[in-house]
Amino acid sequence: MRAASPVWLFDLDNTLHDASPHIFPHINRSMVAYIHEHLGVDRDEATRIRQDYWQRYGATLLGLVRHHGTDPQHFLWHTHQFPDLKHMLVFERGLKAMLRRLPGRKIVFSNAPLRYSEAVLELLGISNCFDAVYSVERLRFQPKPAVGGFRQLLRSERLRADRCIMVEDSLSNLTTARRLGMKTVWVSRSTRRPLAVDVRVPSLLDLPGHLSRLQTVS
């Protein structure tokens, strides 16, 4: 038996780059402002709604669509405007070289909107490392960890789940991936390794060193 070429599914924010210092705070402020304006609630209540929907559904967007009939395109456009995205990005040098070392196809699988995702990949200089970008629009607004988005990607790419390696910072997303039969990589500095995780890496640059534990056979 020989090792089969895997298909890598990479999350974007806090996986391919560190969104926590600048980008996530900006998005959070934008979402609170949007909810405040369009639902007519004060900012404290807008913050509570945003956090509640994110915890319940994995994405604030899904709660707004389900409970308030929010237009998802309108919400994504207004909450993902960045005055200087280039200088807000934090990422590891050597990212492109690492991606090129990995065998098999690579796909971005993100809850973020397409315009933002493509802009980040371009600024990181890694757009040509990926064969496809599955943004929340392409997932028919079924964000991770909901299984529907995963199945949409697998159908569209004609993939078996056991061919895929999911690389993520979110344990809830990895839990869905593992349940479907994917191998999983948790990008985290935690010292624990939950059951849903096959490999934990504190840095994405460590990924090539774990290939033998992740590859499947054909």
Side-chain angles (χ1 to χ4, degrees):
M1 303 288 281
R2 63 181 179 82
S5 293
V7 178
W8 299 84
L9 307 180
F10 280 90
D11 178 48
L12 180 65
D13 294 330
N14 275 2
T15 298
L16 288 170
H17 71 105
D18 187 357
S20 295
H22 308 298
I23 290 176
F24 275 174
H26 179 83
I27 292 174
N28 289 340
R29 288 191 297 270
S30 297
M31 287 185 178
V32 168
Y34 185 96
I35 294 168
H36 165 67
E37 179 179 351
H38 292 276
L39 298 190
V41 297
D42 64 31
R43 290 188 179 272
D44 286 344
E45 177 63 6
T47 299
R48 188 199 66 78
I49 290 170
R50 185 196 66 74
Q51 292 173 338
D52 177 48
Y53 290 164
W54 180 77
Q55 290 169 353
R56 286 164 64 184
Y57 302 115
T60 300
L61 167 65
L62 195 54
L64 291 173
V65 171
R66 287 186 179 182
H67 298 290
H68 307 279
T70 299
D71 178 347
Q73 297 281 11
H74 188 264
F75 173 79
L76 291 170
W77 173 264
H78 285 278
T79 57
H80 287 76
Q81 299 288 334
F82 297 91
D84 192 5
L85 183 59
K86 180 179 179 179
H87 291 100
M88 298 172 78
L89 287 172
V90 178
F91 63 99
E92 294 181 289
R93 306 298 170 183
L95 178 61
K96 185 172 185 177
M98 183 280 296
L99 290 169
R100 286 180 166 173
R101 289 177 60 194
L102 297 179
R105 298 177 59 217
K106 301 167 192 71
I107 294 170
V108 171
F109 180 19
S110 174
N111 285 349
L114 182 61
R115 183 176 61 93
Y116 162 80
S117 300
E118 290 182 335
V120 169
L121 293 173
E122 186 67 28
L123 289 169
L124 294 178
I126 57 174
S127 294
N128 61 3
C129 295
F130 296 95
D131 294 313
V133 177
Y134 278 78
S135 63
V136 70
E137 301 99 324
R138 198 169 181 185
L139 301 171
R140 298 181 180 176
F141 301 104
Q142 300 177 86
K144 299 174 291 181
V147 72
F150 285 80
R151 288 180 172 151
Q152 176 69 25
L153 186 155
L154 293 172
R155 281 195 303 268
S156 297
E157 295 294 320
R158 298 181 180 179
L159 289 172
R160 294 199 329 251
D162 62 7
R163 285 274 318 282
C164 299
I165 302 170
M166 185 78 206
V167 186
E168 262 276 4
D169 68 292
S170 166
L171 275 178
S172 59
N173 297 344
L174 290 175
T175 299
T176 303
R178 182 65 176 271
R179 193 181 309 128
L180 288 170
M182 298 180 185
K183 294 282 191 177
T184 58
V185 177
W186 188 27
V187 183
S188 171
R189 295 189 178 277
S190 172
T191 55
R192 64 193 181 101
R193 203 185 86 193
L195 291 176
V197 174
D198 289 303
V199 167
R200 181 189 61 81
V201 291
S203 165
L204 207 57
L205 301 186
D206 298 331
L207 197 50
H210 297 275
L211 278 175
S212 62
R213 294 172 59 191
L214 292 167
Q215 288 184 309
T216 57
V217 294
S218 59

